[in-house]
Amino acid sequence: MNTMSGKARAVADLTEGTILATVEIAAPTEAVFNALTTGDEITRWWGATEAYQTTEWIGDVRPGGQWRASGVGADGVPFSVEGEFIAVTPGRKLVQTWKAEWDGGNVTTLTFLLDPIDGGTRLTLWHKGFGGRPESCRGHGEGWEMVLGWLARHCAPSDPRFFLCRLLPPRATFVQDMSAEEADVMKNHAGYWTELLQRGTAVLFGPVLDPKGPWGVGVVRVSSEAEVKGLRDGDPAILSGRGFQYEILPMMRMTAAE
């Protein structure tokens, strides 16, 4: 699995009046699609204090459905943009018209294409219909580069980091002579890590047959060392107070087969 920078790039063809932009996002296509089509999500990420802020978004996400966004600029001036959905393929594709009041009410066409890639989503954007209006095309191109950067940071707030965790038992003979109470602790520990695996936080976990004495291993994908320490502190093995210990080691990089 590879991490992604979330760096967006946009190119405006001023002659053709077309914008092409792309960004790679460390999140699944469904999450990115949801961030593009849900009002509660859009108002959380579409904007910044120094630029403008989208304060409302409403939409009927189906072919023929209408949508509208409104907000306020850094100068306090309100704005709005609206349109109609032309094609909707959940988690994959979104085509809609774009009619912005600051653009003289001209109608353009916007397409989002979401492709699953190793580690997340590649989002490709086409914005067409700026023929004869080069300044508008250039301005929207610069805007989309900024907007897709906001989207990437919203869907994957920080670069993921990988840590290897070793769970050290209280004694080398633990596997051979654990008590019934200790067996219950191990059962709860396995359930805890299974939940982490299902959430996508854990990449793998399991026991290691070391000649010096078995121990447990797990690899987690988190945003910080503080987060992995929080996972350690919530492990039933640690909470049991029976002498279990963690070793937490940062990985330089993580590569895994799909």
Side-chain angles (χ1 to χ4, degrees):
M1 182 180 293
N2 300 318
T3 59
M4 300 178 182
S5 67
K7 177 66 176 178
R9 295 206 177 2
V11 177
D13 185 332
L14 304 185
T15 302
E16 293 295 326
T18 299
I19 299 162
L20 172 63
T22 185
V23 66
E24 293 186 352
I25 304 174
T29 58
E30 293 80 6
V32 177
F33 186 86
N34 187 63
L36 289 168
T37 56
T38 306
D40 290 344
E41 288 278 318
I42 289 172
T43 55
R44 287 169 55 196
W45 68 264
W46 201 317
T49 304
E50 68 277 9
Y52 63 87
Q53 184 64 55
T54 301
T55 57
E56 183 181 29
W57 187 95
I58 55 175
D60 182 7
V61 188
R62 61 179 179 81
Q66 304 293 311
W67 68 272
R68 187 178 190 276
S70 58
V72 62
D75 56 3
V77 176
F79 69 85
S80 67
V81 56
E82 60 187 11
E84 177 182 317
F85 291 106
I86 299 172
V88 178
T89 304
R92 183 70 177 85
K93 186 177 182 180
L94 194 65
V95 184
Q96 61 198 85
T97 58
W98 176 276
K99 182 181 178 182
E101 62 177 5
W102 68 84
D103 193 35
N106 289 285
V107 178
T108 54
T109 303
L110 180 62
T111 299
F112 295 98
L113 181 63
L114 285 64
D115 291 308
I117 58 174
D118 180 25
T121 300
R122 177 180 293 114
L123 186 153
T124 304
L125 174 151
W126 288 274
H127 199 168
K128 303 179 180 180
F130 295 95
R133 297 186 296 119
E135 289 306 312
S136 180
C137 186
R138 180 183 291 109
H140 275 79
E142 294 171 354
W144 281 120
E145 194 166 277
M146 182 169 58
V147 168
L148 294 188
W150 292 336
L151 174 63
R153 287 189 290 275
H154 171 76
C155 293
S158 59
D159 291 334
R161 298 177 60 190
F162 295 90
F163 290 84
L164 185 147
C165 303
R166 293 182 67 201
L167 178 67
L168 305 176
R171 56 190 180 278
T173 59
F174 178 77
V175 172
Q176 290 79 27
D177 59 16
M178 74 173 76
S179 67
E181 292 79 8
E182 289 172 330
D184 285 340
V185 170
M186 285 293 90
K187 181 178 179 181
N188 293 333
H189 163 76
Y192 178 77
W193 274 82
T194 297
E195 183 179 346
L196 293 180
L197 194 67
Q198 292 171 344
R199 282 163 39 191
T201 303
V203 177
L204 59 85
F205 76 94
V208 176
L209 187 59
D210 188 330
K212 298 178 181 179
W215 43 273
V217 65
V219 174
V220 295
R221 179 176 186 254
V222 293
S223 60
S224 66
E225 187 169 355
E227 186 176 350
V228 73
K229 288 181 177 179
L231 296 177
R232 172 201 63 193
D233 295 343
D235 191 320
I238 299 299
L239 293 173
S240 71
R242 292 178 174 270
F244 292 92
Q245 298 180 30
Y246 259 66
E247 286 185 357
I248 299 173
L249 305 171
M251 299 182 67
M252 296 178 65
R253 66 174 180 270
M254 175 70 182
T255 304
E258 293 187 7

